[in-house]
Amino acid sequence: MLQTLLVIPDWLLHGWLTLAWLLFAAAWLAWSATRTGWKQAAAHYLPTFLLVAALLHFVFPRLSAEGVNPQDPTGELVPVGLAIRGYGLCLMLAISLAVGLVLERSRAAGLNVERMLALCFWIVMAGLVGARAFYVIQKWDSFVGADGSVMWAAIFNMTQGGLVVFGSFAGGVVAILVWIGINRAPALETLDALAPAMLLGLAVGRIGCFMNGCCYGGECEFPFSTCFPRGTAPWVDQLEQGTLLGITPVAPADSEGIRTAGQVLSASPAAGLGLQPGDRYAIPVPDPVRLAAANRYPELARQLEIKVATDRLGVVELPLTEAPDQSLGVHPTQIYSAIEAGLLCLLLWLLHGRRQFAGQIFATLMVVHPVSRFLLEIIRADEAGVFGTDLTISQWFSIGMLTAGIALYLTLAGRRLASIPARDPANQSIAG
């Protein structure tokens, strides 16, 4: 996995990047003006150039993250710059490939390609809003400070993930239906052209989830299980549970984050600290910024400690270097999801030339995908049950999507059968 591909230095974000963009924009306008004239060149490109310049000058500096000082890793945190994440790169690649597939399917279906391209823009915007809104609602406690204030900056910071696929699907479908209503486009043909692209985007996006370490599965000992590095979500989750240190809790944490040890492995870090079965404990996670940096700076790793608060021993401390630097093996559910989405995309592609009625491609997506997603949720470990059940919010959404998909499929198939004229028995020949 590779969470961060590169970091744009903080000093570049404060003026220099904007200046470089303005120089490029001026050169491009001058070159374009020699071909079409200044008036037409400005009309075509100037609004975009100014919008990007405004983003570079006013928004990008605010996205600069704090990190350790390479010259003094154990000292105070300093602004380091804008991190370009593998997750974000895969997201952009997923959008680009999905849009390309939509345009190809639109040409094959005889739809207006320019209008479908405009629709893709609104789907992407609505999908991102829906995906983030779904995540924020699901993890709302993480966006409320100790004083009860809402951390708005964290809500809009998507540089490390925090997008839910079903939220994206819901937002995208809303945008599609509104666009179809406004433009009076053929609804079923449009949905059929979009369906394979949704799965292609999901397949590539899940690779980004794997690079980021989110959407991970539960512990397993399969040959293809994946161990994620220190500081990633699976590692942090296992640390909080205690399993990373050799503790098997008897139940999930209570409302205060306290667990009870059911078993403590011999020769484990937890056993070395003196923990025993029956101990009640809580393990707060060290500062995530320093924790992630400890993978690059050994002197910082030697300085950090894991504190384990227990009811019998009080607070005991374990040097970070004595804890595993990788998580226990987990199901690579991100890869499972990518394979599922890729195969379903291929199925929908092949089905398009053999469909029996308009809307069959989209209806098939709504029937097949929620079944596989429901099953994958069983082995995922990053979501808890909701509504007083063991079912996750994604499983409940899958049930709703499957129900709607079956209803849509049966309705459209029924209309097709009803439209076929009945044969008159009196006109049928008798084969001898």
Side-chain angles (χ1 to χ4, degrees), residues 70-84:
Q71 282 72 44
D72 183 19
T74 62
E76 296 293 326
L77 298 179
V78 297
V80 294
L82 178 64
I84 306 301

Side-chain angles (χ1 to χ4, degrees), residues 267-346:
S268 66
L273 293 174
L275 272 77
Q276 299 176 0
D279 285 343
R280 289 168 53 80
Y281 65 94
I283 307 177
V285 180
D287 175 50
V289 175
R290 297 184 187 276
L291 190 60
N295 295 316
R296 302 191 305 273
Y297 303 104
E299 62 270 36
L300 182 58
R302 289 190 292 269
Q303 182 191 64
L304 295 178
E305 293 181 332
I306 297 172
K307 300 181 184 297
V308 183
T310 71
D311 59 345
R312 184 175 59 86
L313 302 172
V315 178
V316 290
E317 297 179 347
L318 176 74
L320 182 63
T321 52
E322 295 185 14
D325 58 3
Q326 290 188 326
S327 72
L328 303 176
V330 298
H331 283 286
T333 48
Q334 311 95 329
I335 304 301
Y336 301 166
S337 297
I339 294 172
E340 178 269 337
L343 291 176
L344 184 51
C345 174
L346 179 61

Side-chain angles (χ1 to χ4, degrees), residues 28 91 99 109 132 153 165 222 228 242 257 267-268 291 294 337 352 380 405:
W28 184 276
L91 181 62
V99 170
R132 186 60 175 178
V165 169
F222 293 169
F228 287 87
S268 66
L291 190 60
S337 297
H352 203 281
R380 277 182 58 168

